[in-house]
Amino acid sequence: MVELCLDDVTRRFDDVQGTETAVDDISMTVEDELLVLLGPSGCGKTTTLRMIAGLETVSEGRITIDGRDVTGTPPSDRSIAMVFQDYGLYTMMSVRENMAYGLKHSTDLSEAERNARVEEMAEMFDIGELLDRDVTELSGGQKQRVSLGRAMVREPDVFLLDEPLASLDAKLRAEMRTELQQIQEKLDITTVYVTHDQKEAMTMADRVAVLDDGTLRQLGPPEAVYENPADRFVADFLGNPAMNQLPATTSREDGRYDFHVAVGDRRLRFASIPRGDLPLDDGDPVTVGVRPENLRLNDPATADFEATVSVSEYQGNDNFVHLEIGSRELTAVVPPTVRPSPGDTVPVTVSPDALHLFDADTGGELRRAQDGKRRSETVRY
Ligand code: ADP
Ligand code: MG
């Protein structure tokens, strides 16, 4: 049960162009879970991880492990293991020697005890057969297993991974994702996992921390971050295809809010929701958002508007339908049996339960889509 805390942590870099804030006032607590730091390239993920490891100095703020302030502590005194994308194995050594190396230098275990731990961990990562091989003989996937096993065998308090699967091919990546998750759960080590891949984040994380430009935008379980994104950035970053987002104008009707989108010189009523207690007045600008799987096609009785099909992309288990309303574009994800042709006009229904509203200026969330209203409940064919 190890608790890792980041308390208003900031990292600035000074260079010839001035000061850059790579990590801006981030706070979070990670405890007995796999927390994924997710965000686009350059948003500060690696810098955050390196500060936790002690490889990067902290400009402001505090890092604690189980209440112990480690902000200025050298990496070797933190009981942290870190794994990178590029394995970092000692190429002159065998797999066994690589895995035993850290134990030899940081513990008093006898050789027999070291071997026992290495062999147990090697079993877990399914590399038992490779222990006496030279690491240069291994495939990329095998090298990454050795690198993960070498980190885990030390039984660190905190396990840090920086895009460890990024250089593996898609199939291997999916396999390793599942395996790593199982091993992390079994060993129950507080883990911070960095990736820019939302799929990796959604499938592996107990909780996801979404970063943008050095700031923490939202932290929560994958379902919460997906279903109730705190702002437009998070809404856009998670989900493939991305959430449809359009600028709209509010009109207060009897007991309802209608949201109109300008399409050329037309005003299209995009969606309508029961009034509730939103802080919106007639004429207020907002951004409306709806996930592609929450657009229903071909139900004239409930349709909000009509759109023209531009492209229909058959995916096997799904069909991505790209739609146009004037110069606006929308994407719908529909069952594979729904396959309209380019040029078709289709009725489009926006489920009121699935409508997201964001502040037009700040991009902050104004209205959550109703909890639990997922595709299975909102879209029926
Ligand atoms: P990520 O891992 O999310 O891709 P990084 O943490 O590597 O992002 O980088 C965040 C920002 O900090 C980037 O703009 C990067 O250029 C900058 N940065 C990282 N390390 C240094 C450094 N040693 N010196 C100057 N700028 C740096
Ligand atoms: Mg990085």
Side-chain angles (χ1 to χ4, degrees):
M1 310 284 142
V2 172
E3 185 192 70
L4 165 72
C5 268
L6 276 67
D7 225 343
D8 298 331
V9 169
T10 294
R11 173 61 171 141
R12 290 186 210 91
F13 289 108
D14 293 311
D15 61 22
V16 282
Q17 277 135 20
T19 300
E20 188 193 337
T21 307
V23 174
D24 195 357
D25 204 20
I26 285 184
S27 298
M28 60 176 78
T29 300
V30 193
E31 190 179 10
D32 296 331
E33 64 182 318
L34 194 158
L35 180 119
V36 172
L37 289 182
L38 174 70
S41 178
C43 71
K45 304 182 294 295
T46 295
T47 306
T48 305
L49 216 58
R50 286 172 53 84
M51 286 192 289
I52 298 170
L55 299 168
E56 193 78 70
T57 53
V58 174
S59 306
E60 265 173 51
R62 233 163 55 106
I63 297 175
T64 62
I65 296 174
D66 272 346
R68 186 167 66 96
D69 191 334
V70 296
T71 317
T73 308
S76 52
D77 295 343
R78 294 193 187 194
S79 184
I80 277 175
M82 187 157 169
V83 171
F84 307 89
Q85 179 180 340
D86 54 3
Y87 325 128
L89 298 174
Y90 307 114
T91 51
M92 306 302 285
M93 298 182 191
S94 68
V95 170
R96 185 188 300 274
E97 287 163 338
N98 262 281
M99 289 181 67
Y101 190 82
L103 292 178
K104 200 166 166 179
H105 292 269
S106 65
T107 68
D108 305 327
L109 297 177
S110 70
E111 188 176 345
E113 288 167 325
R114 289 200 302 267
N115 261 323
R117 288 241 311 244
V118 165
E119 279 164 21
E120 188 191 352
M121 193 54 66
E123 267 333 295
M124 221 180 252
F125 278 96
D126 206 16
I127 48 173
E129 313 284 283
L130 305 177
L131 277 173
D132 296 309
R133 293 262 203 96
D134 203 286
V135 294
T136 50
E137 296 168 29
L138 307 182
S139 70
Q142 290 170 331
K143 281 184 188 154
Q144 194 53 292
R145 284 171 192 271
V146 176
S147 154
L148 291 162
R150 182 182 61 174
M152 288 283 209
V153 81
R154 289 173 44 208
E155 299 178 355
D157 286 343
V158 179
F159 191 34
L160 305 175
L161 302 111
D162 193 353
E163 314 236 13
L165 310 183
S167 55
L168 308 181
D169 67 50
K171 188 162 174 287
L172 200 52
R173 208 158 57 221
E175 269 172 38
M176 288 292 287
R177 221 157 52 200
T178 318
E179 256 181 69
L180 250 182
Q181 207 180 348
Q182 285 165 348
I183 292 169
Q184 191 274 335
E185 235 163 68
K186 192 158 165 191
L187 297 179
D188 203 18
I189 297 180
T190 296
T191 301
V192 184
Y193 186 106
V194 160
T195 183
H196 65 274
D197 179 343
Q198 51 141 330
K199 195 159 182 186
E200 221 164 272
M202 297 300 271
T203 50
M204 293 181 75
D206 291 312
R207 291 189 305 155
V208 183
V210 186
L211 300 187
D212 175 38
D213 201 15
T215 62
L216 177 60
R217 294 300 191 104
Q218 189 170 6
L219 199 165
E223 310 80 41
V225 178
Y226 185 79
E227 286 172 26
N228 290 307
D231 61 30
R232 290 185 57 191
F233 175 83
V234 177
D236 184 62
F237 197 75
L238 285 166
N240 180 36
M243 181 188 283
N244 297 292
Q245 295 189 20
L246 298 170
T249 311
T250 310
S251 73
R252 284 170 75 118
E253 305 297 332
D254 227 13
R256 313 191 61 75
Y257 280 119
D258 286 353
F259 299 99
H260 290 89
V261 170
V263 178
D265 50 13
R266 281 191 304 142
R267 266 175 95 238
L268 179 88
R269 202 194 73 172
F270 184 81
S272 179
I273 59 170
R275 182 97 132 245
D277 51 4
L278 287 169
L280 286 174
D281 280 324
D282 233 12
D284 277 356
V286 292
T287 298
V288 289
V290 60
R291 295 236 175 247
E293 64 270 31
N294 295 125
L295 287 178
R296 188 169 53 202
L297 308 184
N298 299 337
D299 184 359
T302 61
D304 291 285
F305 53 86
E306 288 189 328
T308 308
V309 175
S310 56
V311 180
S312 185
E313 289 174 341
Y314 179 64
Q315 305 282 329
N317 49 351
D318 274 327
N319 194 14
F320 295 178
V321 182
H322 299 275
L323 302 162
E324 285 171 358
I325 32 175
S327 59
R328 310 266 178 205
E329 291 175 5
L330 294 174
T331 306
V333 174
V334 296
T337 47
V338 181
R339 293 181 71 178
S341 303
D344 284 357
T345 300
V346 290
V348 182
T349 308
V350 179
S351 161
D353 289 337
L355 189 75
H356 297 261
L357 294 175
F358 302 101
D359 189 288
D361 296 326
T362 65
E365 171 196 58
L366 290 172
R367 174 194 195 250
R368 305 180 142 213
Q370 310 242 308
D371 290 339
K373 292 286 177 190
R374 304 206 198 159
R375 174 180 177 155
S376 55
E377 288 164 88
T378 55
V379 178
R380 289 204 184 86
Y381 285 88

